[in-house]
Amino acid sequence: MLFRSIRLISVLGLSGIGKTALVKRFVDLNLDKFEFIIWRSLKFPKSLELLVDDILTTCNQSPHEIIADKLKQLFAILTEKKSLIILDDVQNLFIPGVFTGQYQTEYQDYQSLFKMITDIEQQSNLILISQEKCSEMRCLEEELYSIKYLELLGIDDSKILENIGLNDRDSWPKLIKLYEGNLAYLKDIASLIKDVFAGQVAEFLAENNLIITTAMKSQLKYLFTRLSPVEQQIVLQLSNFENPVSRQKLKETLELSSMEYINGLQSLRERYLIAITKRETICFSLSPIFRKYISKFCQ
């Protein structure tokens, strides 16, 4: 079975890239492998204590009074029964407006839980779905801990556009590439193509313009507002370059210390908002969609 010996798994990537769909497919294929499967969204996070109460109740346990005892109950279940816990939208545990992966004070206990999952011998799995890399994925070595992370960077299979009313199948790969294989963007743009171009993908592509819909704009605005001021400076400047730019050349256009600059680049990488191109030197670039949004709406 996939992830048989891995206790903590992070599925990472931009919103709409297909993380939740992939995990749902995994669950569908492995329903008979687990005694308990518990899926909880952290879109509006609750305290760790309330989450543990919820899980224990779902597993037909009466939660104890003290959080330490509740955690002992939880790990007793994870040890005795093969269980799968999935937490979606984990990025909402983190502080917006600072470098990625820093927990809000009221959710700091989650970090302890994730570490306990890796440290305590038990037979269950925890899957974290997030738009940002958790600090655990950066600090814990895969060779020493039973962790794994899977980064999704887009889907390039034309089958994802089947049965949604689009024509010109030969043009589908170009459309998928234009919208970076992002399922949410493609679903939204497919609706636009049906409404305005009668489903003719070739006609839409003939416009030779990257269209950002209202829904995309809202999502991209959310991504931009979560950035720290340093990251915002970097992406604003990076949007001025049509081609990948070297780290040194980009730094020369910014009034940032080396520490701010390097940490900002790492944080943007962990948000999946910049890409690295290895040429004669290492170069950085924004995705075309994010670059278009920054250039049009944030300058």
Side-chain angles (χ1 to χ4, degrees):
M1 184 184 70
L2 181 63
F3 301 146
R4 181 187 299 274
S5 61
I6 308 300
R7 293 197 286 270
L8 177 64
I9 306 108
S10 280
V11 181
L12 305 164
L14 287 173
S15 175
I17 209 72
K19 304 182 299 296
T20 298
L22 177 66
V23 176
K24 283 182 177 178
R25 181 59 176 160
F26 169 74
V27 171
D28 290 342
L29 293 174
N30 292 277
L31 287 173
D32 60 335
K33 305 295 194 307
F34 299 97
E35 294 185 58
F36 289 108
I37 297 178
I38 299 171
W39 189 309
R40 294 293 182 266
S41 170
L42 299 181
K43 186 173 184 178
F44 303 103
K46 59 179 71 174
S47 69
L48 178 64
E49 185 167 3
L50 289 177
L51 178 71
V52 173
D53 285 348
D54 181 12
I55 294 173
L56 291 174
T57 302
T58 302
C59 296
N60 303 316
Q61 295 280 323
S62 296
H64 290 167
E65 293 294 324
I66 302 173
I67 182 61
D69 293 334
K70 294 176 183 182
L71 287 171
K72 289 179 182 178
Q73 282 182 280
L74 174 61
F75 278 91
I77 293 171
L78 299 181
T79 301
E80 295 168 6
K81 301 180 183 297
K82 180 67 173 173
S83 305
L84 174 64
I85 299 174
I86 301 154
L87 300 181
D88 203 349
D89 285 318
V90 170
Q91 74 278 349
N92 291 315
L93 300 176
F94 306 142
I95 306 170
V98 301
F99 291 147
T100 187
Q102 300 181 55
Y103 289 82
Q104 299 182 54
T105 302
E106 60 266 42
Y107 305 129
Q108 193 73 46
D109 287 349
Y110 277 85
Q111 187 172 25
S112 300
L113 172 66
F114 301 157
K115 184 68 163 53
M116 289 172 68
I117 289 286
T118 68
D119 287 340
I120 297 175
E121 284 291 336
Q122 38 85 18
Q123 61 171 328
S124 299
N125 305 94
L126 173 62
I127 297 179
L128 309 178
I129 304 174
S130 180
Q131 296 176 33
E132 302 172 12
K133 186 179 288 186
C134 307
S135 58
E136 289 72 31
M137 295 296 105
R138 185 195 314 145
C139 299
L140 299 179
E141 294 291 337
E142 292 184 46
E143 292 80 6
L144 300 178
Y145 294 89
S146 56
I147 66 171
K148 184 72 67 175
Y149 65 89
L150 175 63
E151 298 173 315
L152 299 189
L153 303 178
I155 299 173
D156 60 4
D157 190 342
S158 294
K159 291 181 180 179
I160 63 177
L161 295 179
E162 290 180 347
N163 304 317
I164 59 175
L166 295 183
N167 300 315
D168 309 315
R169 190 182 184 95
D170 290 346
S171 298
W172 292 2
K174 186 175 180 180
L175 182 68
I176 292 171
K177 183 178 180 180
L178 183 64
Y179 286 93
E180 302 168 27
N182 186 297
L183 295 176
Y185 295 165
L186 286 166
K187 180 180 179 181
D188 198 37
I189 208 65
S191 179
L192 181 147
I193 293 171
K194 288 187 289 183
D195 290 343
V196 180
F197 296 86
Q200 304 300 317
V201 175
E203 287 191 25
F204 170 77
L205 293 173
E207 293 286 325
N208 197 30
N209 192 15
L210 179 60
I211 303 297
I212 294 180
T213 66
T214 301
M216 290 180 202
K217 180 182 175 183
S218 177
Q219 178 58 36
L220 293 165
K221 180 180 179 180
Y222 168 79
L223 294 175
F224 183 76
T225 56
R226 283 190 65 85
L227 301 182
S228 67
V230 167
E231 292 170 288
Q232 289 183 352
Q233 286 187 55
I234 293 172
V235 298
L236 283 166
Q237 194 60 42
L238 197 50
S239 70
N240 295 322
F241 295 92
E242 291 188 9
N243 298 311
V245 58
S246 71
R247 183 176 61 247
Q248 184 58 38
K249 184 176 180 180
L250 177 60
K251 183 181 179 182
E252 291 170 357
T253 68
L254 294 161
E255 296 182 358
L256 295 172
S257 69
S258 292
M259 181 180 296
E260 289 174 324
Y261 179 56
I262 292 171
N263 286 334
L265 288 176
Q266 182 187 32
S267 186
L268 286 167
R269 286 282 292 162
E270 293 181 345
R271 298 184 199 272
Y272 306 97
L273 292 177
I274 61 173
I276 286 182
T277 304
K278 294 182 180 179
R279 298 179 176 176
E280 293 181 359
T281 184
I282 295 175
C283 294
F284 295 89
S285 62
L286 295 175
S287 79
I289 294 174
F290 195 52
R291 179 177 178 271
K292 176 82 176 244
Y293 170 78
I294 296 294
S295 299
K296 188 170 180 61
F297 299 107
C298 300
Q299 296 286 7

